[in-house]
Amino acid sequence: MATTSKKRLTNQFLERMTPPKTGRLEVGDDLCPGLILRVSDQGTKSFSVIYRVLGEGGLSESGRHLAGNQHRITLGRWPVVSLADARERARAILGKAGAGADPRAELASSVRERRANTFSAVLERHIRQDAARTISSWPNVERVLRLHVVPHLGDTPIADIRRSDVHEIIDNIVASGRIGTAREVRKQMSRIFNWAADRELVANNPLSGMKRNDLARNTEAGRALSDIEIRSIWMAADDLRYPFGSLYQTLMLTGQRRAEWASCKRSEIDTDNRWLDLGKERFKSRREHIVPMSDALWALFDRLPVWTGGNDYFVFSSRHGRVPVAGFSQGKRALDDLAQEYLRKELGKPDAVFQHYRIHDFRVTCETRLAHLGFNQEVRDAVLGHAKPGLQKTYNKHDYLEEKRRALQAYAEHLIGVVRNGAVLSATTLIAAE
C-alpha cells in the first residue's frame, strides 16, 4: 500500500528523503497540485502526475462539463527527470486535461514514435541517407557498431539512450584492450546522435562533452620503422601470404591508408597505366587520387588470386572476392608474432621485444624515407594523398603524377634493398624484388 502525504517539494528534500521500510511512499507537491513523488522501499524516486479530463464525466444538471475518472501518467525517475522538468511536464498535462483533451492519446502517439525510432532503425536511416554517401570506409565502421553497440542498444528508442549507456559500452571495449575500437565507437555514436538531433529524433547529443581520458590520442603522427623492423615485418608478411601478407606488403610499398587498398576492387586497377585510381567517392578527402604501382608492387599484384565476376571483385578478400578482407585485429596480431620471431633471430636475442608500431607507421616510414631519398614536400604530400596547403589548393593544379611514379619506384627499390640486405628471402619476395 502507498502512504500519501503532501509537501512543497525541493531538491534538498528529494536528496535527503529516506525510503519507507516497506511498500512505497507518495508525496504530493504543494506548488504543483497533481504532481506526485513516489518513493519505493528500495530507494527509487519517480515522478507521476494525476489528472481528470474535463468533460469526460458528461454534463451536470446545470449543463456544466464534469471531470471524469482519475488517470495517472508516469513522468520518469529522479534525478534523470529533474524536479523543475517534472513540474513543467505536469503543468502541461494538467492544462490539456483542463481543456478537455486526454494527454494519454498524445503520449501513446509519442510512445509509438519512440518505439519506431530505435537505435537500430535510426542507424539504418543514417547509413542510407548520410554515411554510405559521405564516408568511404563506412562498411568497416558499420561492422564495429553492429558488433559492439547494436547487441546492447539496438532495440532501445534512441531518445532513451543516455551518456551512461555509451560509457558502459566503451568501458567494456577499453577493458578488452581495444582502444582504437573504443575511440571509433565514441566517434561514430556522436556522429549518429548529431544527425538524429538535427532531425529532432532526440533533443540533443548525449555524448556532447563526454570526457574519456583513456581514449586520448597520441599527438604523435607515428614513428618511422628502422631497417631491422622493416625486414622483420616484411618477412612476417611473406609468411602470412594472401590476403593479409600481400596487403601489408602493398601498404609498405606505397604508404597509403589501409582502407584504400583493403577495399580496392579490380576495376580500380588500371592495367595499361599500372596505377590504382581512387575516385572521389572512395578517397578520404573526396578528391581523386592516383597511386602509381612500382615494378615490385606490380610483380606482387600480378601473383594475387583472380576471382570470378569480371573486374568487380575485391582484390584482397578471404571470400573469393565477394567482400573485402576483414579481421584486421587478428591479422595484425599474427603479423606481430611472426615479426618478433624474425627480429629475435636477426639480433640473436631470444628475449628481444618488438617495439609497438601501428599500420599507420608504414605511411610515416614512407614519407621519412622519401625525404632521405631527396623528394620534396610537395611530392611526398602527393604520394601520401595529403591535401595541398593554403593557396596551393586553389592555384596549384599540377597532379604530380610522374613525380609520384618516380618517388614510389625509388622507394620500392630502397625498401626491397633494405629487406635483401639482411634476410634470406623466400621465392615470393625474390620475384617481387626483380
Side-chain angles (χ1 to χ4, degrees), residues 237-238 240-251 297 300 303-305 316 428:
D238 212 47
L240 280 181
R241 298 183 180 277
Y242 182 87
F244 282 110
S246 305
L247 173 61
Y248 291 139
Q249 288 179 337
T250 299
L251 294 172
L297 179 57
L300 187 155
R303 297 188 315 278
L304 298 181
F316 298 101
T428 301

Side-chain angles (χ1 to χ4, degrees), residues 21 90 141 329 347 396:
K21 293 182 179 179
V141 175
S329 297
L347 292 177
N396 185 359

Side-chain angles (χ1 to χ4, degrees), residues 64-65 93 100 210 246 294 304 320 358 381 404 412-413:
R64 293 178 57 192
H65 289 283
I93 289 171
M210 173 185 272
S246 305
S294 63
L304 298 181
H320 305 288
R358 300 177 297 162
D381 285 342
K404 287 194 291 185
E413 291 173 0

Side-chain angles (χ1 to χ4, degrees), residues 267-285:
S267 57
E268 295 173 322
I269 303 293
D270 187 323
T271 304
D272 294 333
N273 292 300
R274 289 193 177 185
W275 64 40
L276 167 67
D277 187 353
L278 288 166
K280 294 179 181 180
E281 69 282 354
R282 210 163 72 74
F283 190 56
K284 182 178 180 180
S285 54

Side-chain angles (χ1 to χ4, degrees), residues 165-222:
D165 298 321
V166 183
H167 268 306
E168 184 178 354
I169 290 173
I170 293 175
D171 286 342
N172 291 332
I173 299 173
V174 170
S176 68
R178 291 169 290 182
I179 302 299
T181 300
R183 192 182 293 123
E184 190 66 28
V185 165
R186 181 181 67 171
K187 174 184 172 182
Q188 298 304 331
M189 286 290 284
S190 184
R191 180 187 178 99
I192 290 169
F193 273 109
N194 282 335
W195 183 86
D198 187 58
R199 284 153 180 77
E200 296 187 342
L201 301 178
V202 294
N204 50 53
N205 181 354
L207 275 69
S208 179
M210 173 185 272
K211 296 184 182 350
R212 295 291 311 211
N213 293 332
D214 51 351
L215 302 186
R217 285 186 179 274
N218 187 339
T219 55
E220 294 289 331

